[in-house]
Amino acid sequence: QCLCTSLEAAKSFVDLTFMMPPARWIEMPLHFRIQFMRCLVALYRLSVHEDPAWDKQAVRKTIDLMAVFDHVITSMEQRSVEIGDPDDDIIIHLCKVMKGFRAFCAPKLAPDETTLRESNSQAAMDEDFLFPEFMDLADDAWLQDVLGWSAL
């Protein structure tokens, strides 16, 4: 029951976020973006959780995490074009994080998928892409736990 509640809560947060125009996503405070990432991590973990009593396919039918990544990436890239500043740090970093997280999740969530963007496959090989300079996770155990990644 706790897993189902976690799934519903994370999906609700993503759904509520997507009700806002993408322009507002960047304006949200840092804790909102961290909570969004926590929801994505929770959804990923629920999607790959190995337990005979847990239906991973039901999770994947409830919310398509790969589609969530694609929506965020596409929306941020469009937003970058709209504001006319393709070098906008916040948007570039958000896209890098989402592309890196998508590349990390793809092998387990969409193993047969041909990559949506060629850069996504390169992202898995480029550590700077997964951990942009603004994300110094080496000394932040809490963020490492939240993101589920190891900086080492």
Side-chain angles (χ1 to χ4, degrees):
Q1 185 177 357
C2 290
L3 295 176
C4 289
T5 303
S6 296
L7 173 62
E8 291 171 18
K11 182 184 182 310
S12 292
F13 193 87
V14 170
D15 289 345
L16 288 170
T17 301
F18 285 174
M19 292 171 105
M20 291 187 289
R24 296 260 341 263
W25 299 347
I26 328 174
E27 299 168 356
M28 298 306 287
L30 178 62
H31 67 272
F32 174 87
R33 285 180 266 163
I34 289 173
Q35 183 62 30
F36 186 77
M37 286 298 292
R38 291 185 78 166
C39 287
L40 296 181
V41 170
L43 290 168
Y44 171 74
R45 289 183 175 166
L46 291 169
S47 297
V48 299
H49 182 64
E50 295 292 338
D51 185 327
W54 183 243
D55 185 1
K56 295 185 292 189
Q57 290 306 320
V59 174
R60 294 173 186 178
K61 288 178 186 173
T62 301
I63 187 164
D64 181 352
L65 193 54
M66 299 308 283
V68 170
F69 289 129
D70 292 341
H71 180 68
V72 172
I73 292 165
T74 302
S75 296
M76 289 297 94
E77 288 172 345
Q78 287 173 350
R79 181 65 185 144
S80 181
V81 170
E82 288 171 8
I83 63 173
D85 186 3
D87 296 325
D88 186 284
D89 284 346
I90 294 173
I91 294 174
I92 287 173
H93 291 311
L94 180 58
C95 281
K96 283 182 179 182
V97 170
M98 287 295 116
K99 286 179 179 180
F101 195 9
R102 185 188 192 289
F104 173 82
C105 295
K108 288 195 177 183
L109 298 181
D112 299 330
E113 173 189 89
T114 56
T115 29
L116 179 67
R117 292 173 190 85
E118 190 172 308
S119 62
N120 285 348
S121 61
Q122 294 170 355
M125 303 299 159
D126 185 358
E127 187 174 319
D128 291 335
F129 199 81
L130 285 171
F131 298 102
E133 60 277 358
F134 79 100
M135 290 181 67
D136 181 14
L137 301 182
D139 295 326
D140 196 329
W142 181 81
L143 272 179
Q144 284 182 18
D145 185 50
V146 167
L147 297 176
W149 292 328
S150 173
L152 303 175

